[in-house]
Amino acid sequence: MTKVEIEKLGDDYEVCYCMGTTLGEIIEAIKSGATTMEALKDRTEAGTLCGLCESCDIDEDEDREVHLDEIIAAYAQGS
């Protein structure tokens, strides 16, 4: 997923259902330096409970539109 596609979801889009972490919170954390999965988890708690939001490779929830690994790739590496 590209940065433009991610941004279309909006800041209020809930990426981590378990922790209620929004896309806006995740993007802000990445912009503040949390550019690895571990750092992002520490900063936002996203992905720390069931882990389904971490990667599309492990997602069993077909309703989820974006995953943490995709967001990190788009924002941390500048895609």
Side-chain angles (χ1 to χ4, degrees), residues 32-78:
S32 296
T35 58
T36 66
M37 187 66 72
E38 284 305 311
L40 191 58
K41 286 179 174 184
D42 287 345
R43 183 85 48 93
T44 67
E45 295 187 344
T48 60
L49 197 55
C50 80
L52 290 178
C53 64
E54 283 185 57
S55 173
C56 57
D57 293 337
I58 60 171
D59 190 11
E60 296 172 6
D61 181 356
E62 294 177 10
D63 293 332
R64 197 175 313 272
E65 293 187 46
V66 68
H67 298 84
L68 298 175
D69 60 351
E70 296 171 294
I71 301 167
I72 290 170
Y75 284 84
Q77 281 98 37

Side-chain angles (χ1 to χ4, degrees), residues 2-62:
T2 67
K3 190 174 181 178
V4 171
E5 292 170 326
I6 292 169
E7 289 173 352
K8 286 181 182 178
L9 296 173
D11 285 345
D12 293 332
Y13 179 80
E14 195 170 67
V15 176
C16 179
Y17 302 156
C18 296
M19 303 309 286
T21 310
T22 65
L23 179 59
E25 293 170 312
I26 292 167
I27 292 170
E28 184 60 36
I30 292 169
K31 288 180 178 179
S32 296
T35 58
T36 66
M37 187 66 72
E38 284 305 311
L40 191 58
K41 286 179 174 184
D42 287 345
R43 183 85 48 93
T44 67
E45 295 187 344
T48 60
L49 197 55
C50 80
L52 290 178
C53 64
E54 283 185 57
S55 173
C56 57
D57 293 337
I58 60 171
D59 190 11
E60 296 172 6
D61 181 356
E62 294 177 10

